[in-house]
């Protein structure tokens, strides 16, 4: 009989992150298709009661908690100790965690302590005839693989954005507290603060409905023989501000900054989508002034509906990579789009 444990930490406000709810959804789906399995949850944080109550209407039968100020911050030694203690108390055979940077750091070490195995970037979990299998992508999301293991405990890091979040409903649950004896050495590291870009400079928004991608065309000479980079910046930022879309870029455009050419000031390599960039997940994507070459579009694997604006009717998008291609001047189109958005249309 499998005991499926979902591990999560609480957020600063005592809530559970979307990624934790997604991991719970994956675990609950697995539990449903696996006869005789048990579904339990382990929560780590300063105080976990509110988070446990927020998922009370899930099929979870037992809640474990490791609490206290020592467990409120992201720190390998204390997170690993808490996870280890909960896994032992729950006698978990399958451990499902959201693959956030905090959990991804801890997962392999805890698996090693139990002689278990850890798999990362899991995008699907299923069971048939009592056999569990997981799926994940390989070769920069070009191939999907399905694998199974007999080794237990098996730790599964669920890629955020790959599942729907469980909408579990609130209530009141009893949390069984698990004691962890922390040696002084495990508290040597402390988080002294968080540095993050200002809200308006934060252009990468994983939760956005739309991915807006900019290509090198925005900085190229236009029909009048001139470049119009300031106007491009104005149009792109204006659109992002009104639509709250996430900003992606082609490699050519972000590379230009390093080569000393005119480039959009708010772009960095973190925005790059593609084989050597990111593979974001959004319901829709709009590409502008980008050619749609294979190393770029491989990063669009998880974009639902793809549209592109390019002047070139023979670009990669036209060759089957976009659902809709507008052969048009992106300066003119985005100017009109911004106008309509401002008018509330
Ligand atoms: C090993 C390897 C890995 C790579 N990894 C990546 C990766 O991860 N991500 C990535 O993006 N690339 C990657 N590349 C590079 C990739 O092959 C392309 O060179 C790059 O994506 C091209 O960028 P671009 O389309 O922005 O620029 P360009 O190819 O210069 O295309 C610009 C486009 O803008 C259009 N345009 C110009 N003005 C306008 C206008 N006013 N309105 C509308 N359209 C206009 C032009 O018609 C043209 O189609 C990789 C390449 C290699 C070899």
């Amino acid at each position: 009989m499998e005991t499926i444990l979902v591990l999560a930490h609480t957020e600063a406000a005592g809530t559970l992150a979307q990624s934790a709810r997604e991991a719970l959804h994956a675990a609950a789906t697995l539990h449903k298709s696996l006869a005789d399995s048990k579904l339990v949850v382990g929560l780590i944080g300063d105080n976990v009661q509110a988070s446990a109550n927020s998922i009370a209407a899930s099929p979870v039968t037992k809640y474990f908690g490791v609490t206290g100020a020592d467990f409120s911050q992201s720190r390998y030694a204390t997170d690993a100790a808490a996870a280890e203690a909960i896994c032992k108390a729950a006698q978990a055979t399958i451990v499902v965690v959201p693959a956030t940077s905090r959990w991804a750091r801890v997962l392999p070490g805890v698996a090693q302590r139990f002689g278990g195995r850890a798999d990362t970037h899991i995008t699907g979990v299923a069971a048939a005839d009592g056999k569990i299998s997981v799926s994940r992508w390989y070769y920069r999301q070009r191939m999907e693989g399905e694998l199974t293991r007999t080794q237990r405990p098996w730790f599964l890091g669920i890629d955020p954005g790959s599942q729907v979040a469980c909408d579990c409903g609130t209530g009141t649950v009893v949390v069984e507290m698990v004691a962890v004896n922390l040696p002084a050495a495990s508290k040597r590291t402390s988080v002294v603060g968080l540095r993050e870009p200002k809200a308006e400079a934060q252009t990468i928004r994983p939760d956005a409905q739309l991915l807006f991608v900019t290509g090198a065309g925005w900085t190229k000479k236009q029909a009048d023989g001139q470049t119009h980079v300031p106007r491009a910046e104005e149009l792109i930022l204006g659109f992002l501000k009104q639509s709250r879309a996430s900003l992606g870029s082609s490699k050519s455009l972000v590379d230009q900054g390093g080569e000393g050419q005119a480039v959009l000031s708010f772009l960095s390599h973190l925005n790059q989508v593609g084989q050597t960039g990111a593979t974001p997940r959004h319901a829709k994507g709009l590409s502008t002034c980008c050619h749609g070459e294979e190393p770029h579009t491989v990063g669009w694997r998880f974009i639902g509906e793809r549209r592109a604006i390019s002047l070139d009717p023979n670009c990669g998008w036209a060759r089957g990579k976009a659902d809709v291609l507008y052969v048009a001047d992106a300066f003119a189109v985005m100017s009109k789009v911004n106008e309509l958005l401002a008018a509330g249309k």
Side-chain angles (χ1 to χ4, degrees):
M1 187 186 82
E2 303 282 7
T3 298
I4 306 164
L5 164 70
V6 179
L7 277 178
H9 54 75
T10 58
E11 299 302 300
T15 53
L16 277 183
Q18 157 105 1
S19 55
R21 289 175 175 276
E22 289 184 26
L24 178 55
H25 171 83
T29 310
L30 179 63
H31 161 65
K32 207 172 158 189
S33 52
L34 207 56
D36 297 334
S37 64
K38 268 201 314 195
L39 180 63
V40 300
V41 158
L43 297 170
I44 299 168
D46 199 4
N47 186 327
V48 301
Q49 189 63 51
S51 300
N53 288 347
S54 75
I55 49 171
S58 65
V60 172
T61 49
K62 202 160 185 183
Y63 294 81
F64 296 91
V66 170
T67 59
D70 284 337
F71 300 98
S72 60
Q73 54 181 279
S74 166
R75 174 171 49 194
Y76 178 85
T78 46
D79 280 345
E84 184 186 1
I86 293 176
C87 288
K88 253 188 211 146
Q91 299 197 323
T93 55
I94 303 287
V95 184
V96 180
V97 298
T100 57
S101 58
R102 183 168 173 178
W103 281 114
R105 192 165 48 158
V106 169
L107 200 66
V110 180
Q112 175 68 15
R113 290 180 195 186
F114 285 98
R117 292 288 182 273
D119 280 295
T120 55
H121 293 295
I122 303 298
T123 53
V125 187
D129 303 325
K131 198 163 145 192
I132 302 173
S133 63
V134 299
S135 52
R136 58 159 296 170
W137 294 82
Y138 291 93
Y139 185 36
R140 299 304 298 183
Q141 337 307 339
R142 284 179 170 96
M143 298 187 305
E144 189 180 15
E146 198 179 293
L147 57 130
T148 184
R149 287 187 189 277
T150 49
Q151 191 99 14
R152 298 290 184 271
W154 190 10
F155 291 74
L156 307 174
I158 307 288
D159 255 4
S162 67
Q163 312 288 314
V164 293
C166 88
D167 185 11
C168 301
T170 56
T172 308
V173 299
V174 176
V175 181
E176 181 178 315
M177 292 303 166
V178 179
V180 180
N181 275 333
L182 288 176
S186 67
K187 293 187 259 179
R188 277 182 311 206
T189 305
S190 64
V191 177
V192 293
L194 290 176
R195 271 194 221 167
E196 46 192 30
K198 288 195 188 112
E200 64 270 23
Q202 180 59 276
T203 56
I204 299 173
R205 302 182 178 122
D207 293 334
Q209 280 290 305
L210 177 72
L211 173 72
F212 181 77
V213 169
T214 50
W218 283 107
T219 58
K220 298 263 163 78
K221 283 184 181 164
Q222 295 298 308
D224 59 1
Q226 307 293 317
T227 61
H228 297 277
V229 178
R231 176 66 180 146
E233 288 205 340
E234 197 184 310
L235 286 172
I236 295 162
L237 288 178
F239 178 72
L240 292 178
K241 196 171 161 200
Q242 298 195 78
S243 66
R244 307 300 296 162
S246 189
L247 180 65
S249 175
S250 70
K251 181 167 168 21
S252 295
L253 185 53
V254 287
D255 278 354
Q256 282 178 21
E259 290 157 8
Q261 295 178 44
V263 71
L264 307 175
S265 57
F266 43 84
L267 279 178
S268 80
H269 278 93
L270 291 176
N271 294 96
Q272 186 187 316
V273 170
Q275 178 174 352
T276 42
T279 314
R281 292 167 195 271
H282 298 274
K284 294 182 179 186
L286 176 62
S287 159
T288 52
C289 296
C290 165
H291 203 72
E293 285 193 26
E294 167 67 12
H296 174 75
T297 54
V298 72
W300 284 63
R301 167 71 74 186
F302 302 118
I303 304 299
E305 185 188 314
R306 305 165 176 202
R307 296 189 181 206
I309 307 170
S310 176
L311 283 174
D312 183 355
N314 288 315
C315 71
W317 297 113
R319 293 168 183 269
K321 293 189 178 131
D323 301 302
V324 179
L325 170 70
Y326 304 98
V327 180
D329 178 355
F331 281 84
V333 176
M334 293 317 296
S335 167
K336 186 72 186 168
V337 168
N338 283 352
E339 217 177 87
L340 293 171
L341 283 172
K345 295 179 183 166

